[in-house]
Amino acid sequence: MGENILSYTLIVGVKEFILIGLSESQGVQEVYFVMFLCFYTINVAGNLLIIVTVISSQHLNSPMYFFLCHLSFLDICYSSVTAPKMIADFLVKNKTISFVGCIAQLFWVHFFGCTEIFILTVMAYDRYTAICRPLHYTTLMTRRACSCMVVGSWLGGCVHSAVQTFLTARLPFCGPNKVDHYFCDVHPLLRLACTDTYTVSVSVIANSGMITLSSFFILVASYTVILISLRSQTSEGWRKALSTCGSHITVVVLFFGPCTFTYIRPSSDLSEDKIVALFYTIITPMLNPLIYTLRNKEVKSADLLVWRTL
């Protein structure tokens, strides 16, 4: 009888997963509900304001703001894949998600996350070109070139996500179905697969690590060249360059730090991973509009004009 049940489980497989979330304490979950609902609302409102500001302003028509508009759109999409489900789960006992829904969430998380990495890299190249090659800037950063970079970023994110999703979805899930996370991610799902996942785990780390480290290397190289080129500049030149680059550097550190911690090493403690994941899925997207607004006078002025017309 036991063997028949086991065989049936192996054939049918897991049809839904249970997301453990951030805490199993009802009191703590109620506090989290209010807190993360506020975070998500600020995130959507702030990034929408950036998008509306860039589109409606005649002065914010440079490539930097074109990329910023796409970054804000990505931040809304990225957090919307995980935050609404997590917030709703704080109010229910059965935090279930179907197998198809789980795999879909995995795909969209990596799709938007990887695309954001590429967009941040493109923005660093834009700053490098503007500061180090100002005479060639308008020739290199044409509307067509910027559009191609954005399309390439979206396609690169899609390819990365497709690989991650394919490697995970083809694994057999026939036993435990409790995901120790607040969304479906690769490392927690690998723990639940009823087969040896060493090869898949190495492939996932290699895929994510190659993208994260190569993009981070390009970012570091770009800003190293920028700083070297500023040695001959006046203090006014330093101030102007750092005011345009400071926001981007801050966002890069906030986003790449947690991503690097999570995806380029074997996951040993999932409780740590899900806390770190809050930074790149919810907190950093929420802070981006604030960072770009406070450190950029042009965006700040355009935001005030938008508020006055509302």
Side-chain angles (χ1 to χ4, degrees), residues 30-205:
E30 291 173 357
V31 174
Y32 281 165
F33 171 79
V34 176
M35 183 172 68
F36 286 107
L37 181 61
C38 292
F39 286 173
Y40 181 63
T41 303
I42 294 170
N43 170 22
V44 174
N47 281 294
L48 276 177
L49 179 61
I50 292 287
I51 294 171
V52 172
T53 300
V54 172
I55 292 175
S56 61
S57 176
Q58 296 179 349
H59 303 289
L60 305 180
N61 53 7
S62 67
M64 180 175 71
Y65 299 113
F66 174 71
F67 296 133
L68 178 59
C69 192
H70 281 273
L71 180 66
S72 292
F73 177 71
L74 275 167
D75 281 336
I76 294 174
C77 294
Y78 191 31
S79 58
S80 295
V81 175
T82 59
K85 170 66 176 169
M86 179 186 70
I87 293 168
D89 281 349
F90 288 138
L91 300 179
V92 298
K93 287 186 178 180
N94 297 321
K95 302 173 176 59
T96 60
I97 184 171
S98 67
F99 179 84
V100 174
C102 184
I103 297 301
Q105 189 180 56
L106 171 67
F107 174 84
W108 291 114
V109 164
H110 282 270
F111 175 50
F112 292 126
C114 185
T115 303
E116 181 155 343
I117 286 176
F118 290 142
I119 290 291
L120 288 171
T121 307
V122 167
M123 292 175 75
Y125 173 73
D126 170 69
R127 292 299 83 207
Y128 158 77
T129 309
I131 295 172
C132 300
R133 306 185 65 184
L135 298 178
H136 300 89
Y137 183 72
T138 54
T139 305
L140 293 172
M141 302 302 291
T142 61
R143 176 65 69 172
R144 178 182 175 83
C146 293
S147 299
C148 289
M149 291 179 191
V150 169
V151 171
S153 298
W154 285 93
L155 289 176
C158 184
V159 172
H160 161 76
S161 184
V163 172
Q164 301 286 80
T165 305
F166 173 76
L167 290 173
T168 307
R170 62 191 293 270
L171 294 172
F173 297 94
C174 50
N177 67 337
K178 288 189 176 182
V179 180
D180 190 10
H181 216 300
Y182 62 90
F183 69 92
C184 291
D185 203 4
V186 176
H187 290 312
L189 291 176
L190 290 180
R191 294 279 186 94
L192 302 180
C194 49
T195 186
D196 181 25
T197 60
Y198 176 78
T199 303
V200 176
S201 180
V202 170
S203 301
V204 165
I205 293 172

Side-chain angles (χ1 to χ4, degrees), residues 46 49-50 68 247 287-301 303:
L49 179 61
I50 292 287
L68 178 59
S247 302
L287 293 177
N288 282 355
L290 189 64
I291 293 169
Y292 281 105
T293 301
L294 289 179
R295 297 187 62 89
N296 192 303
K297 291 182 179 179
E298 291 180 327
V299 177
K300 191 186 299 183
S301 300
D303 277 344

